[in-house]
Amino acid sequence: MEDTDLINAYISEFPPKVQEMLQTLRKVIKESAPEAKEKISYQMPTFVLHGNLVHFAAYKNHIGFYPAPSGIEAFKQELSIYKGAKGSIQFPIDKPLPYELISRIVKFRASENIGKAKNKSEKRP
């Protein structure tokens, strides 16, 4: 099964309202990092660009978004209204997702990963 099909299958397991949120989240991530590839990692939809970019997953009461600790730290102020941990944010399912903020986080992470990859390649003889 292709990675895109695996993500479609993952999303299809949820109620219609949650499916819609996940599809929109996926679209926002794709638009924010068009060169990123999709796969399933840690049993979650994942976008990869020079390493893991972001993951997302649905749970009973929230959508988990995992932009790595740097993605949380860079937007700490705006994310402070959500539950979260070092590398994760919980967006309540009963409220609209902050797609504009998510887009900015994804762009930040893409830029960060591209920068790291560039630095690595410059260090090679």
Side-chain angles (χ1 to χ4, degrees):
M1 202 182 251
E2 297 267 325
D3 290 326
T4 302
D5 296 332
L6 291 170
I7 293 173
N8 289 337
Y10 175 90
I11 290 172
S12 73
E13 294 173 13
F14 296 94
K17 178 184 174 228
V18 176
Q19 285 183 36
E20 192 178 311
M21 293 172 89
L22 293 173
Q23 288 291 13
T24 305
L25 175 58
R26 183 183 188 186
K27 183 174 177 266
V28 166
I29 295 168
K30 279 182 182 178
E31 288 171 355
S32 303
E35 58 286 346
K37 303 283 180 245
E38 291 182 299
K39 71 176 192 173
I40 294 283
S41 184
Y42 302 106
Q43 299 172 329
M44 294 183 257
T46 300
F47 281 81
V48 180
L49 180 66
H50 302 292
N52 287 338
L53 188 63
V54 296
H55 309 273
F56 65 89
Y59 299 93
K60 186 178 178 193
N61 297 312
H62 71 276
I63 305 261
F65 183 63
Y66 307 89
S70 60
I72 305 284
E73 186 59 33
F75 296 88
K76 190 167 53 179
Q77 197 70 41
E78 292 164 274
L79 293 170
S80 64
I81 60 170
Y82 302 102
K83 268 191 200 169
K86 188 176 173 190
S88 67
I89 308 153
Q90 294 180 11
F91 297 120
I93 275 182
D94 60 354
K95 295 197 170 62
L97 293 181
Y99 295 116
E100 190 273 330
L101 174 58
I102 290 167
S103 174
R104 287 190 289 125
I105 293 170
V106 171
K107 287 175 182 172
F108 169 83
R109 288 284 298 123
S111 166
E112 184 177 53
N113 279 10
I114 290 166
K116 283 181 188 171
K118 189 171 181 254
N119 287 343
K120 268 187 193 167
S121 68
E122 287 172 358
K123 287 180 182 170
R124 288 194 187 118

